[in-house]
Every structure is written in C-alpha cells, then in structure tokens.
C-alpha cells in the first residue's frame, strides 16, 4: 500500500503524521470518503467541492487547487492498483504546539489513503439492518455546523457506542427538536403512502452525496419525493426505510426501535433504488487510468 502525504508516497509502515498535528490533538481538519467503481472514481468533483466547502467553513486553506487534489486522488488509486475501492482524503490544520490556537499551525497536512471498506456484512444488504434511536443528539447549527465534514466525530462515535451496546446495527440520531436527522454515518429515507421522504438539511444533517444521488434517481424513476421534517412516529409507521452513505451505499432497514418495518424484508422501492444505484456506479465517474 502506498499512502499520499503532502505530495509524496510512503509505504503503510512509513506513513507517519506528527503527534503535534492539530488534526490528532484537536480533531482540527476535514475529510472526504470517496468510492471507486469499475476503474472510475465516483462523483469525484462533488466530493472535492464538499471538501473545499468544509475547509472554507473552518478557515482552513488547502495547499492544492481542486484540480490538483483530484489528480492526487487519482494517482493514489493508480499507485495502489485500485479498480474498486474506498478513498479517504484528509486535510488537517497541520503541525502546531500543544495550545489550541490554529494560528500556530503554519502548514496544513494532506494525506490520501486508497484501500477497501466494508461497513456491513454483505448478507445485511439482503436481510436488512436493525437500527435504534440513541440519546446522543446532533449538535445545533449554532454550535458546530453538521454540514462541515470535520475530523471531530466524537458525537457520532458516542452514538455508535450506544447502538453497539443495544445490539443494533446503527444508531438513529435526533436534533434538539426531537426531529429525525441521520444515522451515525448515513442519511435516512422512509417510504410511506407512495412518497419517498428524507429529512431536510435544515434539520441538522450532513448534505450526503449518496443522498443527493438517490433523490436524483428517484425523480428519474418518477417517484414522488419530499424533503420534510420527520419525527419518530413517521419512521415507526413507514412501509420502507433505508440509509445511504458513501461507505454504506444504500442499505435496507427492517427494524427500528424493535418495531418491524414492512414485512421485515427489504421493500420493493428500496431494492429498485439499490439496483439503479449499482448500475450508475458502474458507468459513471472519472477514469483512473485514462
């Protein structure tokens, strides 16, 4: 494995980041998780755009242009002979002192890893997930914006711990108004009375790129879609539920808080979207070896 760090490639054993890097000390940085399918990087431009938006929101200057960053990602895939895989692109504030002040960090750190990922057992996509509502809440917009994909994931990790302890596959998170937001690393959709629904960004969720893709596919298929505020009652009484994310792709949910969803099997709409999404990933993206 070859890992990109600040313009150079290192073996996995030699790829090192300073213990004084504020990405480690304070979670001060941003990242993107990106997929490669069939020798193409899927939605690369959109991921790069979101990465730069996240960096701008925390006043972090990325030392590469969007085009240079894209090429660095593609070259990392080439170095690792990636045909199908997962890419983690990270920008930290860089090396500083033990104080909090980011002004003491003079050069951001950029690293890129291209490898494999499997969030759930393949069998899960056939049988479905069991999720449970957790007590850990999504931060309000007035604290840390959920739209920033930062390195500080402690909030989500605490939610994941709750889900693990309850025996669930995933944790469903609410905002301060008891509205549905997202799971620990995925957006959520429900299907009810002929309408596919998902919480709006204003509820406090990450603007997921797979979420955007699913909304687009749904409209192409002629499905009625709606972004609206949802509460637990809406999820509990839905006919179908699924979650979306770069790592998870589209994963069906068959149980929420002990309540069965539909017939406890992935629903027809979910399966259709899973099929269309797979087809799209095999034909769309930036070619790695062009």
């Amino acid at each position: 494995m070859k890992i990109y760090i600040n313009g150079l490639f290192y073996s996995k054993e030699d790829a090192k980041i300073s213990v004084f890097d504020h990405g480690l000390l304070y979670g001060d940085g941003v990242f993107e998780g990106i997929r490669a399918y069939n020798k193409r990087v899927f939605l690369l431009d959109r991921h790069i755009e979101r990465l730069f938006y996240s960096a701008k929101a925390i006043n972090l200057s990325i030392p590469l242009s969007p085009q240079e960053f894209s090429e660095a990602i593609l070259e990392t895939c080439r170095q690792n002979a990636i045909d199908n895989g997962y890419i983690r692109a990270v920008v930290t504030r860089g090396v500083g002192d033990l104080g909090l002040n980011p002004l003491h960090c003079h050069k951001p750190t950029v690293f890129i890893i291209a490898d494999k990922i499997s969030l759930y057992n393949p069998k899960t996509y056939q049988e479905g997930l069991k999720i449970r509502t957790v007590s850990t809440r999504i931060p309000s917009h007035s604290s840390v914006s959920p739209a920033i994909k930062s390195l500080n994931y402690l909030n989500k990790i605490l939610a994941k711990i709750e889900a693990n302890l309850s025996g669930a596959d995933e944790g469903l998170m609410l905002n301060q108004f008891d509205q549905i937001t997202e799971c620990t690393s995925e957006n959520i959709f429900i299907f009810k009375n002929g309408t596919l629904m998902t919480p709006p960004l204003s509820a406090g969720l990450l603007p997921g790129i797979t979420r955007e893709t699913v909304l687009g596919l749904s409209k192409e298929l002629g499905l009625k879609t709606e972004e609206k505020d949802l509460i637990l009652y809406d999820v509990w009484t839905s006919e179908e539920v699924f979650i979306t994310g770069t790592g998870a792709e589209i994963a069906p949910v068959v149980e929420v808080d002990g309540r069965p969803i539909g017939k406890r099997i992935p629903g027809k709409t979910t399966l259709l979207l899973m099929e269309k999404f797979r087809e799209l990933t095999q034909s769309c993206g930036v070619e790695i070896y062009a």
Side-chain angles (χ1 to χ4, degrees), residues 23 143 178 250 273:
S143 54
D178 294 331
I250 301 176
L273 286 167

Side-chain angles (χ1 to χ4, degrees), residues 32-35 37 42 47 50 86-87 117 119 149 185-186 208-210 244-249 277:
E32 280 292 318
I34 310 168
R35 281 273 196 170
Y37 299 96
F42 188 58
H47 280 286
R50 189 171 66 175
Y86 178 83
I87 303 136
I117 192 171
L119 293 189
K149 197 169 176 66
S185 56
E186 302 95 1
I209 292 173
T210 307
T244 66
T246 299
E249 302 174 300
F277 181 77

Side-chain angles (χ1 to χ4, degrees), residues 64-83:
L64 298 171
S65 69
Q67 295 75 20
E68 290 169 335
F69 212 123
S70 295
E71 179 54 35
I73 286 172
L74 293 171
E75 184 58 30
T76 305
C77 290
R78 296 181 196 118
Q79 291 279 337
N80 292 282
I82 294 292
D83 292 345

Side-chain angles (χ1 to χ4, degrees), residues 27-99:
D28 187 358
V30 295
F31 79 98
E32 280 292 318
I34 310 168
R35 281 273 196 170
Y37 299 96
N38 195 25
K39 300 181 181 179
R40 298 179 178 90
V41 179
F42 188 58
L43 298 175
L44 177 58
D45 290 346
R46 181 65 186 92
H47 280 286
I48 290 293
E49 180 183 52
R50 189 171 66 175
L51 178 71
F52 275 74
Y53 281 157
S54 292
K56 186 175 182 180
I58 67 169
N59 200 34
L60 173 59
S61 296
I62 297 178
L64 298 171
S65 69
Q67 295 75 20
E68 290 169 335
F69 212 123
S70 295
E71 179 54 35
I73 286 172
L74 293 171
E75 184 58 30
T76 305
C77 290
R78 296 181 196 118
Q79 291 279 337
N80 292 282
I82 294 292
D83 292 345
N84 299 280
Y86 178 83
I87 303 136
R88 176 61 59 90
V90 180
V91 185
T92 78
R93 190 76 62 179
V95 175
D97 57 25
L98 291 177

Side-chain angles (χ1 to χ4, degrees), residues 121-261:
N121 189 303
K123 195 175 180 181
T124 300
Y125 291 88
Q126 299 173 345
E127 299 181 352
L129 297 164
K130 297 178 181 179
I131 69 175
R132 187 171 295 276
T133 307
V134 297
S135 62
T136 302
R137 298 296 175 110
I138 288 287
S140 70
H141 288 280
S142 59
S143 54
V144 178
S145 172
I148 300 171
K149 197 169 176 66
S150 81
L151 297 180
N152 192 333
Y153 255 49
L154 185 58
N155 173 260
K156 301 293 184 69
I157 291 169
L158 290 173
K160 189 69 173 180
I161 290 170
E162 281 191 69
N164 290 342
L165 291 174
S166 72
D169 299 302
E170 253 301 345
L172 178 59
M173 303 180 73
L174 310 179
N175 62 20
Q176 71 268 36
F177 304 113
D178 294 331
Q179 297 166 331
I180 302 296
T181 57
E182 58 188 352
C183 289
T184 63
S185 56
E186 302 95 1
N187 295 122
I188 186 167
F189 285 79
I190 69 171
F191 185 75
K192 184 177 180 180
N193 297 328
T195 301
L196 186 67
M197 293 173 275
T198 192
L201 299 182
S202 58
L205 50 128
L206 180 76
I209 292 173
T210 307
R211 174 184 180 274
E212 293 173 8
T213 305
V214 167
L215 286 171
L217 287 173
S218 300
K219 291 173 184 176
E220 289 177 13
L221 291 168
L223 295 173
K224 182 181 178 182
T225 61
E226 190 173 355
E227 295 180 63
K228 61 174 292 186
D229 289 322
L230 301 171
I231 58 175
L232 281 172
Y233 172 84
D234 298 314
V235 181
W236 292 339
T237 59
S238 61
E239 299 160 27
E240 298 182 39
V241 177
F242 62 86
I243 59 177
T244 66
T246 299
E249 302 174 300
I250 301 176
V253 174
V254 297
E255 181 182 300
V256 180
D257 296 332
R259 296 162 172 82
I261 300 299

